[in-house]
Amino acid sequence: MNKSIVLLALASVFSTHVVCGADWPQWRGPDRSGVSAESGLLQSWPTTGPKLLWEGGAIGEGFSSLAISAGRIYTMGDKNGQSHLFCLKQQDGSVLWSLKVGKSGGNYTGTRCTPTVDGNLVFALGQFGDLVCAESSSGRERWRKNLAKDFGGSSGGWNYSESVLVDGDNLICSPGGSKATALALNKNTGAVIWATSLPGGGESHYSSWVVSNAVGLKQYVRLFSGGTFGVAASNGQFLWRYDKLGKNTANIPTPIPFGDYVFTAAGYGKGGALLKLSRRGASVVAEEVYYSRELKNKHGGIVKVGDYVYGDFDDRGSPWCANVMTGKVQWRRDGGGQGGGSACVTYADGRLYYRYQDGVMALVDASPQGGFRQISSFKIPDGMKKSWAHPVISGGLLYLRGMNKILCYDVRDPNRASGAAPAKRLWKDSTGRFQVEAIFKGIRSGNVILQKSDGSIIQVPLNRLSAADQAHLRGQ
């Protein structure tokens, strides 16, 4: 195909407005992997921890993590008898606006959902099923639904906890139950696009959707009370189910799709599994490559870096590393280092950022060789009894959600940052017909920001890049 024709064909998906910094616009970052593409970060911290830039935001009580976009921070919290969606100034944590979402409380008091930012809109889900869409700049409400009342949903005993997925014009969420286990709404109006009753899906439980393009078919993947499911993105059609993780106390971790595979795990005595998706006639089949009880994880989450996955053994404060293709455990923390209780994890620049339930924040070497090695740690002055909110890294800063506040730490290394000029790379799309030499500038709202040699900026949807380029961004 003529290169100029290819460029014209791609014009509809490559936009050209300038974006600064590396945003973290939703749960677990731009592609929901928990992996940051940032570099030039501190490889160790002072004994007292990295520099605290500010504490801010009277955001109430909750376990919600943070979304960061266009100079603003979004989160949720219970305050004055209501759950709220909060917007704060990224520069100092001061509150710009708040919006009442629903009632407060829950099995564990506090919000669970991390807001999802999509351009001029932000979406948030309260613990009792109140789903709101608001203008991201002003907080003006656009529309709202209730997953239980409007769609006959059932969350499970720990209330609604998912962070909704926005994909194009659709918002994907999970009422649970038999009427609309999985649901797609128009993000602009809240109108129903499709509703699917998943066989054996059961209650919504506490995971969140991710996008997979396995076997050449775009699909959404999520863990429900009945196991891990895949549905067709176009119409919500049920595709496949892996039920070994079903019939569990609570299914929480976000699955990790890559290529034709899905890694999925749960805690409470369950384990982790690698699934291989394949075509069988018109159907999609999920086959178990392995299942290992050594890879169980409650709610700290799992990240994939190259050929390895990292998580916490159930909720024991015992981080592990395993080969994702074989399930072989490379190392596990059986002693040494600081921190105890459930550990949630984010990855950036060769380091694992583990936040332990007892309020210890630790920096761990991500090398699969040499065993568990905690490099640095410090105690977070947040006052939370259960320090469960996942850490966020954006623009060289580490953000931690605390009790009625947010803490912002500077984890940039000026020596590393100034010592290397940005490197150009030849970026290609998944078809191999488009390529551009450019410098990586960051990720925003699921798009990779690239600067061409003439200084112009283009945005490339992350899922349109080649597998090699996506792996490069994830740290391979």
Side-chain angles (χ1 to χ4, degrees), residues 116-123 131-136 140-145 164-172 184-193:
T116 301
V117 186
D118 183 67
N120 65 334
L121 299 177
V122 58
F123 306 87
L131 174 62
V132 298
C133 167
E135 294 177 359
S136 56
R140 185 175 75 88
E141 186 176 313
R142 286 281 192 91
W143 57 263
R144 71 167 52 226
K145 301 288 183 181
V164 298
L165 171 69
V166 174
D167 183 38
D169 286 333
N170 293 347
L171 178 148
I172 315 301
L185 304 175
N186 181 289
K187 72 177 182 183
N188 295 300
T189 66
V192 174
I193 303 299

Side-chain angles (χ1 to χ4, degrees), residues 223 227-228 242-248 251 264-266 270-271 291:
L223 183 59
T228 307
Y242 178 71
D243 62 5
K244 190 170 283 188
L245 300 181
K247 297 180 180 179
N248 195 19
N251 282 338
T264 183
K270 291 291 185 176
Y291 173 80

Side-chain angles (χ1 to χ4, degrees), residues 172 182 194 196-199 201 209-212 214 217-224 226-243 255 257 262 264 275 277 283-286:
I172 315 301
W194 50 254
T196 298
S197 176
L198 296 178
W209 290 102
V210 285
V211 177
S212 169
L217 176 65
K218 186 176 182 180
Q219 52 196 281
Y220 303 130
V221 178
R222 189 187 188 276
L223 183 59
F224 287 83
T228 307
F229 288 77
V231 301
S234 59
N235 57 14
Q237 177 186 353
F238 166 71
L239 296 176
W240 57 267
R241 175 190 181 191
Y242 178 71
D243 62 5
V262 174
T264 183
L275 311 179
L277 305 185
S283 301
V284 177
V285 177

Side-chain angles (χ1 to χ4, degrees), residues 355-356 359-361 378-383 387 400 402 407 409:
R355 179 180 184 171
Y356 290 90
V360 168
M361 186 72 217
F378 68 96
K379 185 75 172 180
I380 308 167
D382 65 4
S387 193
L400 300 173
L407 302 100
Y409 293 88

